[in-house]
Amino acid sequence: MADYGAITMPPSDRALSRKTAIVGIGETDYGADYQAERTRAEGWVPPTEETLLTTAFERALADSGLKREDIDGITTSFTYGGPPADEVAKMLGVKARFAQANGNIMAGPLPVACAAIAEGKADTIAMLFAVASRSAGRLFGGMTHSTGGTPDPDEENRTPSSYYYYHPWGWSSQAAHWALIFGHYQWKYGVGEEDLFHVARQVREHAMAQPNAVMRKELTLEAYMGSRYITRPLHLFDICIVNDGAVCLIVRRADLARDLAHTPVDVAGWGHAKVKKNKMHVMVREQLRPQLQEASAQALAMAGVSLAEVQHFEGYDASSFHLINQVEGIGFTEPGTGLAFCRDGQMTVGGRIPTNTSGGNLSQAYMQGWSQVAEAVRQLRGEAGQYQVPGAQVSMTNLAQTDQTHPIVFVRGDR
């Protein structure tokens, strides 16, 4: 089990598989809001979490075809504070018999909501995530960035100031970890920075087909190599964007999800594994592979499908190389082959595993894994546009932090 304050993620129990389905999705205008913040034209008003989540909720409700009174549960996920869940329910005009703050990143919230429905606490839950980091000018690194977090009691010889940030060595953000991991990978497999370009380019090509994406300009090798370093050897385009936005997922009891506007997308399985000790060794030399293998095996077993049956993947590409960690670690390609795998077209439609088909965190929007669940839903509905995976029946998402990983398996439901 994974603990998120008072929220505990349920175990990978086959009895919970396919008991719930996602029946509605809503997202805000990532690209338009990003440009508005950059321009700051006269009269521009910065968005708040409340205004963003209201937009996402109304769009998800319309997408589902449900009525407001059909929603009897609310969960809220904010990166920085936010109003209590019961206040959000009142603000949205929802009479919720279940209202709960539910983590923030897509590492536990969906399984928790699924378990709540299975336990009879609600029939239909609107799950809301919102963040307004860009408009607020929040920083994600550097000497002014607070490490935050609570020391991890499971970590041997932990640094008392933070659970994975180490300021004395200049590590004030996760980007420093990924840079060290990629540096070791370069040494081990003989690859260069120009090889990593193919990941950023592929994800950008997917985003270019999405009117809602933040980054839609073609990315060339010259532009990539000419961009500034964020943390050497990672360039600007290797790191996720910072934008405002919100996502709403409407999750319903599976037996009530069959006669709605869209084909339901069943939540079939989930898993979780984390590094317990020797964290630096596991992150850098093993690239989190043991945890990725363990957690994905849990999720697949719960779902009753094999890895070979997974047709689409949405990985947490907070950095380009972190995505390769996941593609290799889960087993879509062998260790050391991920960059060539991407270069050769195996991570887009027509390849082995179309990945981050709406542009991911690198180019579409940084919604901490939530927008990638929305893309999995579109793929399984057959609504993903230019990069639709033909006949998609099984999709996997994965939220990988530096020291743990949380995969979820989705299957196309019955009408």
Side-chain angles (χ1 to χ4, degrees):
M1 294 186 182
D3 290 320
Y4 301 92
I7 306 299
T8 300
M9 193 178 94
S12 305
D13 187 348
R14 188 70 184 271
L16 294 175
S17 179
R18 309 187 194 196
K19 297 300 183 184
T20 54
I22 298 176
V23 300
I25 54 174
E27 298 175 273
T28 53
D29 301 314
Y30 306 131
D33 288 346
Y34 182 88
Q35 291 301 324
E37 188 281 330
R38 293 196 70 181
T39 304
R40 296 187 177 232
E42 185 177 354
W44 175 76
V45 176
T48 65
E49 279 90 353
E50 290 86 348
T51 59
L52 291 165
L53 68 82
T54 298
T55 297
F57 171 76
E58 295 296 343
R59 290 176 178 179
L61 189 65
D63 179 67
S64 71
L66 293 169
K67 298 178 181 178
R68 198 173 302 269
E69 52 265 33
D70 293 321
I71 310 297
D72 62 351
I74 289 282
T75 68
T76 56
S77 299
F78 300 106
T79 302
Y80 300 96
D86 56 349
E87 291 185 12
V88 171
K90 292 177 183 177
M91 181 181 74
L92 298 176
V94 171
K95 294 182 179 179
R97 57 190 177 101
F98 176 78
Q100 185 178 70
N102 189 6
N104 59 331
I105 59 176
M106 184 47 75
L110 184 54
V112 168
C114 291
I117 290 173
E119 292 166 8
K121 295 178 180 178
D123 290 329
T124 308
I125 296 176
M127 301 182 62
L128 294 152
F129 167 83
V131 65
S133 291
R134 186 169 186 87
S135 293
R138 294 190 178 99
L139 300 177
F140 294 88
M143 296 308 295
T144 60
H145 176 64
S146 172
T147 59
T150 301
D152 187 337
D154 292 330
E155 171 65 4
E156 280 190 347
N157 303 316
R158 65 186 183 273
T159 303
S161 63
S162 170
Y163 74 119
Y164 56 43
Y165 294 150
Y166 301 98
H167 272 204
W169 294 275
W171 286 23
S172 61
S173 73
Q174 291 191 26
H177 294 77
W178 298 319
L180 183 64
I181 295 166
F182 181 53
H184 182 269
Y185 187 94
Q186 285 182 290
W187 168 81
K188 185 174 182 179
Y189 295 110
V191 299
E193 295 173 19
E194 66 278 6
D195 296 301
L196 193 54
F197 156 74
H198 298 291
V199 182
R201 176 199 55 79
Q202 182 63 84
V203 173
R204 178 64 61 86
E205 285 188 1
H206 292 159
M208 288 168 64
Q210 299 292 329
N212 197 29
V214 171
M215 299 294 178
R216 300 183 63 208
K217 182 180 179 181
E218 181 181 4
L219 182 60
T220 65
L221 178 60
E222 292 73 23
Y224 172 86
M225 294 298 293
S227 65
R228 70 182 186 273
Y229 287 108
I230 299 299
T231 304
R232 193 183 295 266
L234 300 180
H235 287 264
L236 174 66
F237 299 113
D238 290 312
I239 304 299
C240 61
I241 51 184
V242 177
N243 65 290
D244 304 325
V247 178
C248 179
L249 308 173
I250 296 182
V251 187
R252 190 166 171 85
R253 217 174 73 198
D255 62 321
L256 300 177
R258 304 310 179 201
D259 298 315
L260 299 180
H262 300 282
T263 298
V265 172
D266 293 347
V267 184
W270 54 76
H272 170 251
K274 70 177 296 182
V275 181
K276 295 294 186 180
K277 59 182 180 179
N278 300 324
K279 187 178 292 185
M280 195 68 65
H281 170 83
V282 176
M283 287 194 306
V284 177
R285 292 182 174 169
E286 298 185 0
Q287 297 172 236
L288 209 62
R289 185 176 179 83
Q291 288 70 33
L292 288 160
Q293 292 277 297
E294 178 186 348
S296 59
Q298 293 170 6
L300 292 165
M302 179 177 170
V305 300
S306 68
L307 186 63
E309 293 176 272
V310 177
Q311 300 160 283
H312 167 252
F313 178 64
E314 289 286 316
Y316 182 62
D317 57 334
S319 83
S320 57
F321 188 67
H322 198 42
L323 183 59
I324 293 299
N325 270 353
Q326 295 164 72
V327 170
E328 290 186 0
I330 290 171
F332 294 115
T333 189
E334 292 298 315
T337 66
L339 298 182
F341 183 78
C342 182
R343 180 199 64 209
D344 295 341
Q346 296 303 313
M347 288 170 60
T348 191
V349 175
R352 162 62 188 97
I353 187 68
T355 298
N356 290 18
T357 48
S358 64
N361 298 315
L362 291 173
S363 285
Q364 185 206 21
Y366 182 59
M367 291 289 102
Q368 297 195 333
W370 287 72
S371 58
Q372 288 158 308
V373 172
E375 175 64 6
V377 171
R378 284 189 290 267
Q379 285 285 351
L380 295 178
R381 288 178 175 181
E383 300 172 354
Q386 180 179 337
Y387 290 104
Q388 172 67 50
V389 177
Q393 297 290 320
V394 183
S395 176
M396 176 187 282
T397 65
N398 188 64
L399 193 296
Q401 296 160 272
T402 52
D403 66 342
Q404 56 189 294
T405 187
H406 305 77
I408 306 175
V409 176
F410 303 89
V411 298
R412 182 179 170 91
D414 300 321
R415 295 292 314 254

